[in-house]
Amino acid sequence: MKYIAFVIVVLITGLLGYLGSISLGPAPPMAPLLDPNHGFWQNMKSEDALAKEEIVLEGLVAPVHVSYDENLIPHVFAENEQDLYRVQGYVTAMHRLWQMEFQTMAASGRISEIVGSIAVPLDRMTRRKGLAYGAELGMEFIQKTDPETLLLLEAYSDGVNQYIDQLSEARLPVEYKILNYRPEHWTAYKSILLLKYMSDMLVGDRDLEYSNLRKYLGEEMMGKLFPDFPEENDPVIESGKKWEFAPIPISRPDSISYPDDALVIEPLPQPEEGTGSNNWAVAGSKTKSGNPILANDPHLSLNLPSLWYSMQLSTPDFSVKGATLPGALGVISGFNRNIAWGVTNATKDARDWYKITFETDQREAYRYGSESRKTEFRIEEIKVKGESPFMDTVVYTHYGPVVYDRTFRAERQDVNFALKWTAHEGSNEQKTFLLLNKAENHSDYNLALDHFTSPAQNFVFASKSGDIAMRIQGKFPLKWKEQGKYFMDGADPRMEWQSYIPNEQNPSTLNPERGFVSSANQHPVDSTYPYYVFDNSYEHYRNRRLNTRLREMSGITLQDMQELQFDDYYLHAFEALPVMLELLGNDASAESQAQKYLQELKNWDYYADPNQQAPTLFYLWWGKLYDSIWKDLSELEGPIVRPNYYRTVKLLKNETQGEIFDLKSTSGKETASTHVKQSFGAMLEEMKTWEAEEGDYAWANYKRTKIQHLVPQFTSLSVENVYTGGGAGIINATSSRHGASWRMVVEMGEEVKAFGIYPGGQSGNPGSKFYANFVPKWANGEYLNFDLREKEEEASLLFETVFTPQL
Amino acid sequence: MRFFGFLILTALLVVFVGPFVPYWMLMVGAFLLALVLKPGNSAAFFGAGFGFALSWVGLSLYLTIDTGSELGGRMAAILGVQSGTVLMIVTGIVGFLLGAFSSLSGNMLRNLFRKKPDNIYGGR
C-alpha cells in the first residue's frame, strides 16, 4: 500500500514539475513565469534600483563613464569611437534588448520562430520582398568598401553580446518570458538589417493601384484626378530655385506598352497613412538670439517600447546627442556642438514592378529583349515554432525578386512580377550617421549624406556658424516621364532604369533668401527640376501651414518652435468646410441635433485641440463625403487609390456640377451638393450612435490616440486614450495610431540649447517606471531638457556606471 | 509545531536559495528536507506547501510594493486573470502545489526506508 501511495505522490510531483515547465497551448510555462525569484515579478524593478557602479567589459581600451540623468538618458563618455560604440551596444541592450531583436526578426521574416505557423504568410512576404537579401548585399558592400565602419559595427555588436551573455533569468526582458524564447547573439548584419527595416517602413509604391486606375480611367482622366503637381505647390526646396547643373538627358521610348492584365492581386503592405514627418531650420536673421534654430519631428506608428532611444555619445573629439535607433550605431536625429540635423521621409517611387515572362514552367529563364536570361533560386527556410520548417523558393531576376508567383498568392491569376528596389543594392547608410555625428560644418554634412541610399530622406541642417540647409538624399533612378508609375514589361529592355541621378544633382539648398528651410513630405521640387518626380503620397497640408507660419514669423525663440511642432491648425478643414457648408445650403434637417452640430462647425476656429468637438464632426462628415464621391472607383475590381483630399476639395470647389460627381451606378444625376447633403445625413446618423454609446465627442475622446506595444495582442502593455490634439495633415500629426515619434528643437548658439521628447520612455521594460513616463508630457506638448552634459556634471544625475577594461 | 518548523525551513530555502536556482531545484530541496527531517506526512505536505506559497506570495507582494510597478495588473490581463492580486494568489497556489507534493514525496520515501532498513541500497 505504502509503495503504491508513494508512487502515486511521486508521479503527481513529477507531473506538477513537468506541467509547470512546458507551455500549454499558447500559454508560456507557468512555474518559471510565476516564480518570484526569476519570473515576471522580477521585471517590476526599475533600472535605477538595479544600477551598478562598475561593469567589466572585455575589449575596452580605456574606462568608459556613463551618467544617467533623471530621465534615464545615458551620457556615454569614451576615449575613442570603438569603446564608445561598444558601450552604446551594451547600454542599449540593457534597456531595449527584446525590441532590438524582435524588430530584426520581423525584418528578416523570422516571426514564425517566435509565434508559430500563424506568422508564416507574413514571414514569406517579408522574405519575398528581399529585405534580408538587401541587408546581405549591404553587409558585403561594407565588408568590401569600409573596414572602418565594419570595425565599429562589430564593436557595437560585441557590446550587445557581452550584455546577453551575462543576462540572468531574472533580468531577461518580460516579453521573452511570456513568448517563451531566448535572445540570440547580435551581429553587424543585424544592425544593417534594422536600417533596411526602416526602408520597408517608410517606402511604398502604388504601381499596382495606378495600373488598375489607368486601365479603368484612361490617361486623360488620370491626369485630371492625379495631377503631377498641385496648383499651390509649396515644395521642400523653395520654388524658383535655380538648378546649377547640366541634367543628364533622358527620353521616353516611343510606343511603350504596359502589361494590361486586370490586376486583382493584393498590393504589398504600404506604409500607413500618417507616416510622415516635419523638419525645418530658421536662419539667425529670423530668430531672437540671432542663432539658427532647427526642429525635427518624425511621425511614425506610435509604439512601445518606443522606436527611439535617447543618448549622448561623447569622445574627446565630439559630443553628439539626440535620438538613436536601438540596434543602429550613433545618433539618427540630433546635434553636436557644431551642427544639428534631422530627417523626414522623402519617398519618390523607389520601387518598381516588372512583369516577367518565363521561358518555361521551370522558371529557369525569362525573356529579356531578344535574349533569354537565367534566373536564380533563393531557398528561404522559415523555422516555425513547434513545427517543421517551411521551405519557400523565391525566384530572382536581374530586376529583383519575383514577389508573387504560383506558390504565393496566385489564387486569381498568373502573376510573376519582379520587384526592383534601391534597398536591394549595396549601400552604407550607417556611415552617414557615423559621419554626421562628428560633422562640423556644411561640407562635412554633404560628405556624410553621399553614403545614403534608402529610404530617401530630407536632411535638414543648421550649424553654429550660421548656415541652414536642406538636401533630399537617396539613390534616385533617372526616369523618363511616368516611368515606373505603372507596372512595366520586364521583357522590354527599354523599361529598365537607365542610371541614377548623381548625388550632386539631388535637390538641395543652402541659406535660401527666405531665411528658412523646411520639409513635410510634400513634393520635393517645383516643375522646373529637370527630372521626373512622382509619388502618390505627397503631403499637401502640413507643408503649406508650416511654410505660411515660418514666412510670417520673426524674432523666433525655441519656445515658438516648440509651439509650432504642437500646432493643431487643421488646414484641410479650413479649406474644405466652407465649401461643404455652402453646398449644404439651408437644406440641413431642422432637427435640433443637426442645428447644434452646424452651429459648432460654423463657430469653429479650425484648431483640432483635444477638447474641441467640431474636429470630430468635420472628420466624420468629410470621411463620409469622400467615400460617397469616390464610390464608383472604390467598387472597381482590384485595388486602387483614390484622388487625394487636396484634389477632391479642389474639384468640390471648382467643378460643383461636374461629371466627376455623377455616380454611374445610380440612375439619378449627382452633383457635389448631392454628396454633401447625403454625407451630412450619414454623419448625423453616426453621431447619434456615438452620442448614445460614448457620450462625449470631444476630438481626443473620438480619435483615441493609442501607443501600442509591438505585440498588438499585449493590449495591457499599451497606453490607450492619450489625451492630445492634432491629426493627419496637421503639423502636430498625432492621429489615432500615428504621430510625432520624436520631437526635437535645437538652437545652435555658442552653447547649444536643446529640447526633446518622445511618446514612450527610456526603458523597454513594461514593469519599469521609465517605460512610458514621457507620454503625459509628450501629449501636453512639453519637452525634456536635452542640453549636452559634461562628464563631471552632478545636476539631475540618477546614477553613474563606469565600464572598465578587463585586466 | 513540526508543521511551523517545517514551514519556516521551507520558506528560508525558497527565499535564500531560490534566487540562485530554478524552481525545480527548490522542489528537489523540499523533497530532500522532508527526506532528512521526516516531519510526518501532513506536516511535510502542509508545512512545505504553505512555506512555498507564503514565500512566493510574500516575495511578489514585496516586489509589487517596493517598486510600485503596475506590471502585476498588466500581466494579469495578458494571462486572462482579473487582477494583479489574483495573479499573486495564483502564484501562491502554484507554489503550494509544487512545495507540498515534493515534500510529501520525500517524507513518504523516508517512510518506506523506515520499515525496511535492510533494503536501503536494494532499490526495488
Side-chain angles (χ1 to χ4, degrees):
Chain A
M1 211 33 226
K2 274 187 180 144
Y3 291 97
I4 297 172
F6 170 70
V7 169
I8 291 173
V9 170
V10 167
L11 283 178
I12 293 177
T13 310
L15 190 68
L16 283 170
Y18 173 70
L19 285 180
S21 73
I22 57 159
S23 19
L24 301 167
M30 274 301 151
L33 184 71
L34 295 176
D35 173 0
N37 284 312
H38 307 283
F40 84 87
W41 299 103
Q42 282 291 326
N43 297 85
M44 292 183 148
K45 293 182 183 166
S46 290
E47 288 68 10
D48 51 345
L50 298 165
K52 285 186 191 152
E53 276 180 23
E54 192 188 327
I55 293 173
V56 175
L57 203 60
E58 283 172 40
L60 283 185
V61 174
V64 176
H65 190 101
V66 181
S67 351
Y68 295 84
D69 71 7
E70 55 188 342
N71 298 308
L72 196 68
I73 298 173
H75 299 69
V76 183
F77 300 91
E79 292 303 314
N80 59 68
E81 283 188 61
Q82 231 177 308
D83 284 358
L84 183 72
Y85 294 117
R86 198 178 302 273
V87 171
Q88 186 186 7
Y90 192 98
V91 169
T92 307
M94 218 156 53
H95 294 164
R96 297 294 186 85
L97 177 61
W98 175 79
Q99 165 196 11
M100 293 163 69
E101 187 174 51
F102 186 77
Q103 285 171 338
T104 51
M105 297 284 267
S108 52
R110 294 179 56 196
I111 297 293
S112 306
E113 286 177 37
I114 308 171
V115 303
S117 55
I118 186 170
V120 168
L122 173 75
D123 284 343
R124 289 186 71 189
M125 187 48 151
T126 311
R127 290 175 188 232
R128 285 173 159 266
K129 278 190 290 197
L131 279 186
Y133 166 75
E136 282 163 27
L137 292 177
M139 195 63 211
E140 275 171 34
F141 182 80
I142 292 172
Q143 279 163 346
K144 250 184 262 159
T145 60
D146 192 2
E148 214 173 307
T149 299
L150 187 64
L151 209 63
L152 300 180
L153 278 164
E154 278 166 357
Y156 181 96
S157 98
D158 176 61
V160 176
N161 290 336
Q162 289 195 50
Y163 177 71
I164 293 175
D165 289 341
Q166 61 76 54
L167 190 60
S168 68
E169 187 71 14
R171 298 278 69 81
L172 189 70
V174 72
E175 289 91 344
Y176 287 111
K177 297 180 185 177
I178 305 172
L179 296 167
N180 190 27
Y181 72 107
R182 296 294 175 266
E184 53 177 42
H185 270 176
W186 193 261
T187 57
Y189 165 74
K190 289 190 181 182
S191 294
I192 304 303
L193 195 53
L194 187 89
L195 292 164
K196 293 289 170 196
Y197 185 56
M198 293 305 291
S199 269
D200 187 45
M201 226 188 288
L202 293 171
V203 175
D205 71 79
R206 294 293 188 176
D207 299 8
L208 165 62
E209 291 87 340
Y210 274 90
S211 296
N212 280 336
L213 281 169
R214 192 182 139 276
K215 190 173 151 65
Y216 292 121
L217 298 175
E219 295 277 348
E220 192 187 335
M221 197 49 130
M222 278 303 289
K224 183 179 170 76
L225 297 184
F226 301 90
D228 282 347
F229 288 97
E231 286 160 48
E232 297 134 274
N233 190 17
D234 199 340
V236 175
I237 302 302
E238 68 280 3
S239 289
K241 163 92 186 171
K242 295 276 170 288
W243 309 107
E244 285 150 357
F245 56 84
I248 302 169
I250 175 137
S251 62
R252 183 183 163 115
D254 22 279
S255 75
I256 351 170
S257 65
Y258 291 106
D260 239 356
D261 319 71
L263 297 163
V264 288
I265 49 172
E266 293 237 331
L268 278 191
Q270 299 293 325
E272 289 180 59
E273 302 269 330
T275 33
S277 318
N278 308 315
N279 67 17
W280 66 83
V282 287
S285 59
K286 282 181 84 74
T287 65
K288 196 171 171 192
S289 63
N291 302 320
I293 298 179
L294 178 140
N296 184 202
D297 56 303
H299 314 152
L300 291 162
S301 162
L302 298 172
N303 285 115
L304 285 169
S306 174
L307 186 68
W308 302 106
Y309 178 72
S310 294
M311 274 187 133
Q312 176 178 320
L313 300 169
S314 298
T315 70
D317 299 326
F318 66 93
S319 257
V320 62
K321 191 168 181 176
T324 71
L325 278 177
L329 278 63
V331 168
I332 305 295
S333 162
F335 59 93
N336 59 32
R337 291 187 206 286
N338 298 302
I339 70 147
W341 77 96
V343 287
T344 67
N345 200 23
T347 181
K348 202 168 106 179
D349 198 20
R351 285 200 311 218
D352 280 337
W353 296 84
Y354 289 92
K355 180 156 181 72
I356 299 302
T357 315
F358 289 117
E359 300 280 15
T360 66
D361 247 11
Q362 269 61 53
R363 304 186 297 176
E364 279 160 352
Y366 58 100
R367 192 129 287 288
Y368 186 68
S370 54
E371 53 177 309
S372 167
R373 288 211 178 182
K374 290 254 169 293
T375 59
E376 274 173 45
F377 292 90
R378 185 180 157 101
I379 313 291
E380 299 281 1
E381 181 187 8
I382 304 174
K383 298 198 179 93
V384 184
K385 185 180 188 175
E387 288 171 42
S388 50
F390 183 96
M391 307 300 275
D392 198 12
T393 306
V394 187
V395 181
Y396 275 72
T397 64
H398 77 285
Y399 294 109
V402 176
V403 178
Y404 303 102
D405 58 21
R406 61 183 179 218
T407 69
F408 189 61
R409 303 206 179 156
E411 303 83 53
R412 309 281 292 265
Q413 62 185 162
D414 179 28
V415 276
N416 295 335
F417 282 94
L419 174 62
K420 174 127 179 141
W421 187 7
T422 46
H424 290 155
E425 293 165 31
S427 61
N428 188 357
E429 282 77 16
Q430 181 63 72
K431 180 92 173 174
T432 297
F433 295 108
L434 291 173
L435 291 176
L436 276 176
N437 281 206
K438 49 186 179 183
E440 292 179 358
N441 52 44
H442 183 253
S443 67
D444 288 351
Y445 148 90
N446 266 333
L447 286 176
L449 262 51
D450 285 342
H451 298 277
F452 199 87
T453 293
S454 167
Q457 300 289 304
N458 303 306
F459 283 90
V460 69
F461 169 88
S463 71
K464 191 165 88 176
S465 56
D467 288 331
I468 60 167
M470 177 72 75
R471 173 164 155 195
I472 302 171
Q473 177 57 28
K475 189 175 181 184
F476 295 113
L478 185 61
K479 292 183 178 183
W480 33 267
K481 188 171 161 56
E482 298 203 319
Q483 185 177 13
K485 186 170 180 176
Y486 310 110
F487 278 8
M488 294 183 285
D489 184 1
D492 183 350
R494 295 174 309 160
M495 296 287 147
E496 285 261 30
W497 296 355
Q498 304 299 327
S499 62
Y500 295 95
I501 299 176
N503 273 332
E504 62 278 11
Q505 299 190 3
N506 277 338
S508 67
T509 186
L510 171 66
N511 298 323
E513 219 164 291
R514 62 181 182 177
F516 68 91
V517 291
S518 81
S519 80
N521 319 105
Q522 74 269 41
H523 284 73
V525 287
D526 66 12
S527 54
T528 63
Y529 185 63
Y531 299 116
Y532 176 62
V533 166
F534 163 76
D535 199 84
N536 172 61
S537 65
Y538 289 135
E539 172 68 35
H540 292 80
Y541 293 104
R542 272 185 290 120
N543 57 322
R544 287 185 295 138
R545 169 65 180 171
L546 181 58
N547 286 351
T548 305
R549 289 293 295 133
L550 289 174
R551 271 184 211 109
E552 63 196 22
M553 288 170 95
S554 60
I556 295 170
T557 63
L558 272 171
Q559 200 191 343
D560 294 335
M561 297 289 85
Q562 293 180 356
E563 280 163 16
L564 188 55
Q565 283 190 330
F566 207 57
D567 178 86
D568 281 342
Y569 191 73
Y570 204 161
L571 180 58
H572 165 51
F574 170 78
E575 289 177 349
L577 185 58
V579 181
M580 289 156 73
L581 286 171
E582 194 183 314
L583 288 167
L584 182 67
N586 295 321
D587 206 50
S589 104
E591 247 183 273
S592 63
Q593 275 316 87
Q595 291 307 320
K596 186 185 103 178
Y597 294 152
L598 273 179
Q599 214 47 51
E600 282 177 2
L601 285 168
K602 283 176 181 161
N603 293 337
W604 184 25
D605 60 3
Y606 300 108
Y607 280 85
D609 293 330
N611 60 341
Q612 296 243 34
Q613 295 178 320
T616 306
L617 300 173
F618 170 76
Y619 178 85
L620 266 174
W621 186 8
W622 170 260
K624 308 232 172 264
L625 174 60
Y626 184 71
D627 287 348
S628 168
I629 294 174
W630 304 119
K631 188 159 172 281
D632 277 354
L633 277 184
S634 315
E635 285 171 0
L636 295 175
E637 197 187 3
I640 52 110
V641 283
R642 297 177 287 182
N644 61 41
Y645 287 1
Y646 176 83
R647 189 72 199 139
T648 309
V649 174
K650 283 282 170 212
L651 292 168
L652 269 179
K653 198 170 169 183
N654 301 335
E655 299 191 22
T656 310
Q657 302 298 323
E659 265 307 295
I660 267 281
F661 294 106
D662 186 30
L663 297 175
K664 305 291 174 284
S665 49
T666 60
S667 55
K669 167 147 172 69
E670 285 82 13
T671 64
S673 121
T674 328
H675 290 286
V676 167
K677 286 169 187 163
Q678 276 175 3
S679 55
F680 187 77
M683 184 266 281
L684 285 183
E685 282 303 305
E686 187 156 338
M687 278 306 296
K688 209 177 274 175
T689 327
W690 179 272
E691 287 213 76
E693 285 170 8
E694 310 280 345
D696 182 16
Y697 59 95
W699 181 229
N701 195 42
Y702 179 77
K703 73 171 171 147
R704 298 205 169 145
T705 297
K706 178 179 182 185
I707 306 171
Q708 186 175 279
H709 189 270
L710 286 170
V711 179
Q713 287 77 7
F714 295 172
T715 42
S716 63
L717 306 185
S718 309
V719 179
E720 292 180 303
N721 301 330
V722 180
Y723 187 81
T724 193
I730 299 175
I731 296 183
N732 173 17
T734 311
S735 60
S736 121
R737 285 284 304 113
H738 294 87
S741 63
W742 158 244
R743 292 191 184 112
M744 170 181 80
V745 293
V746 192
E747 179 171 326
M748 296 307 296
E750 218 23 67
E751 277 286 300
V752 182
K753 292 292 300 167
F755 294 91
I757 187 98
Y758 64 86
Q762 287 289 91
S763 171
N765 172 16
S768 163
K769 63 185 174 200
F770 299 106
Y771 175 62
N773 57 326
F774 298 163
V775 172
K777 284 187 173 160
W778 171 85
N780 244 343
E782 294 167 36
Y783 290 74
L784 308 173
N785 181 339
F786 258 70
D787 290 351
L788 290 167
R789 263 187 97 91
E790 297 297 332
K791 191 169 173 181
E792 277 77 33
E793 210 169 311
E794 293 286 327
S796 63
L797 182 73
L798 190 66
F799 64 92
E800 293 174 293
T801 304
V802 180
F803 289 82
T804 52
Q806 203 179 28
L807 294 178
Chain B
M1 224 37 239
R2 270 186 302 171
F3 162 75
F4 280 110
F6 205 63
L7 185 153
I8 288 165
L9 267 181
T10 314
L12 290 175
L13 175 81
V14 173
V15 172
F16 290 103
V17 182
F20 307 101
V21 298
Y23 78 96
W24 58 265
M25 289 284 280
L26 291 182
M27 291 175 73
V28 174
F31 174 87
L32 291 176
L33 269 186
L35 184 71
V36 173
L37 300 175
K38 51 168 177 163
N41 279 349
S42 93
F45 186 80
F46 290 105
F50 281 111
F52 236 93
L54 290 177
S55 46
W56 273 23
V57 170
L59 281 168
S60 47
L61 187 66
Y62 168 75
L63 282 165
T64 306
I65 294 170
D66 186 48
T67 61
S69 173
E70 293 161 29
L71 189 60
R74 290 174 162 169
M75 284 298 293
I78 290 175
L79 297 172
V81 302
Q82 290 82 346
S83 69
T85 315
V86 175
L87 197 52
M88 218 175 274
I89 295 168
V90 173
T91 302
I93 293 171
V94 171
F96 183 93
L97 292 172
L98 296 179
F101 280 96
S102 307
S103 171
L104 182 60
S105 306
N107 195 70
M108 287 172 86
L109 180 63
R110 181 61 181 261
N111 284 345
L112 297 184
F113 291 157
R114 194 175 51 190
K115 286 293 171 187
K116 296 194 173 192
D118 53 318
N119 194 28
I120 195 159
Y121 300 112
R124 200 157 355 187

